[in-house]
Each structure stands twice: as structure tokens, then as C-alpha cells.
Amino acid sequence: MAKIGIAGASGYTGFELLRLLTNHPDAEIVFLTSETYQGKEISKVFPSISGFIDTKLSSIESVSSDTCDIVFLALPHTTSMEKVPDFLKGGTKVIDLSADYRLKDPAVFKEWYSIPHQQPALLKDAVYGLPEIHREKIKAARLVANPGCYPTSITLALAPVVTEDWADLSSIIVDSKSGISGAGRKASLNTQFSEVNEGVSAYNIAVHRHTPEIEQELSALAKTNVQISFSPHLVPMTRGMLSTVYINLKQDKSIENLIEHFQKFYAEEPFVRILPLGEYANSHFTLSSNFCDIGVHVDKRNRRAIITSAIDNLIKGASGQAVQNMNLMLGISETTGLNFPGIFP
Ligand SMILES: NC(=O)c1ccc[n+]([C@@H]2O[C@H](COP(=O)([O-])OP(=O)(O)OC[C@H]3O[C@@H](n4cnc5c(N)ncnc54)[C@H](OP(=O)(O)O)[C@@H]3O)[C@@H](O)[C@H]2O)c1
């Protein structure tokens, strides 16, 4: 039984970790942290967990990883950056859900996050936690940088294509829609009900901080520098994410041929489902599950592939993927605790 700590258990991804791990046969929760609710039982903060776990929340300053095999950090970025070295002490492994250890180049981090990285030496130890691409490295990692939600949906949609010489890598356009929980639980004007309900809005076009992370992974796959145009949108749903990705093809490809290519690429993947001909990814059908559904289409008139990719931002886009990584690091079956369908409606 692996002993687990969760820092940031009072947030959205922290709660999802807790929900998944209370139902995990090989995990035992040792500590949960929150500054706001320290001293309170977790079931008083999230009544839906009543009867499953009654651990009291502690301040992050009062916990140590001495008694843990793995610590999850579900903290805002820059907070994680400072805490990772403390939690890594004594052989404990860390899975960080923030963006702090995802970028390999500290100069790129500084450019996009406007502060210097405080632990640049640790960046080379961090493994980007997308199991479909980095499975073997994750198994041996002591620090996993869990991917962002947009990068998960987009990288999985593009990985089978950017690795091929028939794709025009200079032509990638990505349009993504996210539920509001992607912004976390903390209060802010932009995520208030009356600000988001009944409206769809674009934000951070061409400057979203997930852009360098997506480009880093696509460039590594393509073995050449890849740049994308990325337009994220907020839609009035609590959770879920849909990315629509456009890429020009250098030669004619039939839709049947492209679907077959995606099916082969992901043939062994337990959490990627390639949809049959004519079906579109739909965030309804990945809700509350660890699946990424991918629909493959070809616009013959423009010789362009159009790929739709749906995930639950809090599961495959965050905590489910983190548990998938934990399973790999523990050497147990990758699907343990995650092998369930989504909810509907
Ligand atoms: N939401 C998503 O869909 C999503 C997807 C992928 C990745 N992520 C990343 O995952 C991380 C957590 O996101 P979230 O959505 O769960 O955020 P959240 O709901 O705002 O939760 C943040 C958690 O961090 C704690 N915290 C905040 N400031 C802290 C500090 N200075 N010291 C110690 N603890 C502190 C909060 O505790 P108290 O406020 O109770 O003290 C809370 O438990 C972020 O880095 C985010 O970018 C989120």
C-alpha cells in the first residue's frame, strides 16, 4: 500500500485526487493540506467524501514527506516551485500538477511566467507526465510534471500527425474550449456565474501560458521546431474540454486512411479512444472519466486534417492523469483506480 500526501486538497484538482485515491486499492492517504481550512476535517469542506475519509487538513508548513511514498502537489504555480525540493527529500516521489516543472528551458519559463525559475537544476530531473508519450521515463522518475489540461487534449490530438513527413508543421491552428473549473476554485471576477453564464468568450489568444508547453512536446515529437496558433475559449459549463485542431497535409489522404493511422498509433493505449468514421469528440462523453476521445476528419477541398479531442479537464487533464502517472511510478497496472466510464448526462 503506497502512502500518499496531497498538498492543496481543498482545491478542485486536490479534491479529484482525493476522490480517485479513496477508491484506489493500492493507495493510503497520509496527509491533506489547506491553509484556509487547516484543522477542519476534509468531509466538512467536501461533504460528498463523508464516510470515506475524515482526515483533518493541515497547513503545508506542518507536514513532511518522511512518511510518504508519493506526494501530489495541487498548488498554484510558483507555490509548487518552492515546495518541490522539500517534498523530494528522503526518496519521496513528487507529482506536481502545476506548470512549474513542465518547461525544460528556464529561459522559456521566465519568458512566459515573468519570473526566473527558482530551481532550474531540478528541471532536468522532471519528466513530463503524458504517459502516452513518456511512459518509460515516468516509470523511473522521482519528479513528474503533470501536463496542463489544454496541452493534454492538444498533444494527444497532434502526436500521430506531427511525427509524419506528410504533415505541414507550419500550419497548425488550435481552437479549444474549456469549462470554468479549469480556472480553479479560488474566487475571481472572470469566473463568477453572471460573468460566464450564457456566453462564450475567447481569452489569451496567442499568449496563453500553455503554448510553450504544447510546442515543447510537439517539437520533441517532430524532431524540429514547431509553433502553433492557439486560441482558448471559456464556455459556460462546469467541467470538460474540447480542442479542434487544424493541420494542412502535404499530400492527399483519405479520412479512412487517417483514422487507421490514429488507431495504429494509439492501439495499446488504455485511455485514448479513436472515434469511428463520421463521429466528433464530445466533452459529454469523457465527463468524469480518464478518457481522451479523438475524432479524425479530412477537409478534402483544402487538403486539411481536422481533429477533435475531448477530455475532462479535471481528470485526464489533471488528477486522473496524475493517478495514471502514480500507477506507473509504483509499477502497478496503469489503469488501477481509473478504469470506469464517464457519467452522462
Ligand atoms: N483546474 C484544472 O482544470 C487544472 C488542470 C490542470 C492543471 N491544473 C493546475 O493544478 C494546480 C491546482 O489547480 P486547482 O484548479 O486545483 O486550483 P484551486 O482549486 O485554486 O486549488 C488550489 C489549492 O492550493 C492551495 N493553496 C493556494 N495557495 C497556497 C499557498 N500559498 N500555500 C499552500 N497552499 C496553497 C489552496 O488551499 P487553500 O486555499 O485552502 O489554502 C487549494 O487547496 C494549478 O497549478 C493548476 O494550474 C489545474
Side-chain angles (χ1 to χ4, degrees), residues 248-292:
N248 293 346
L249 305 174
K250 290 189 207 160
Q251 61 192 58
D252 286 332
K253 287 239 161 251
S254 72
I255 184 164
E256 290 84 1
N257 189 270
L258 207 57
I259 291 176
E260 197 185 330
H261 175 71
F262 271 70
Q263 282 168 339
K264 275 194 192 139
F265 192 91
Y266 286 122
E268 305 300 323
E269 291 305 332
F271 293 115
V272 180
R273 300 187 293 205
I274 305 305
L275 301 174
L277 182 74
E279 288 192 17
Y280 305 101
N282 181 335
S283 68
H284 256 308
F285 303 129
T286 50
L287 208 54
S288 213
S289 83
N290 198 48
F291 289 102
C292 175

Side-chain angles (χ1 to χ4, degrees), residues 6-17 33-38 45-46 57-61 73-80 82-83 96-100 102 113 146-152 178-187 210 238-241 311-319:
I6 303 176
S10 60
Y12 286 158
T13 60
F15 177 73
E16 274 301 342
L17 282 167
T33 84
S34 160
E35 305 316 293
T36 309
Y37 301 103
Q38 55 182 290
V45 180
F46 296 120
L57 291 151
S58 308
S59 166
I60 200 164
E61 302 303 336
L73 301 186
L75 304 169
H77 76 90
T78 71
T79 310
S80 273
E82 295 167 11
K83 299 292 175 197
D96 178 27
L97 277 74
S98 86
D100 287 351
R102 294 179 196 153
Y113 289 85
N146 214 61
C149 43
Y150 286 125
T152 296
S178 173
I180 311 299
S181 61
R185 198 173 182 219
K186 63 187 177 315
H210 283 169
T238 302
R239 59 200 288 169
M241 173 165 285
I311 58 169
D312 184 317
N313 57 297
L314 293 173
I315 312 271
K316 183 60 175 165
S319 308

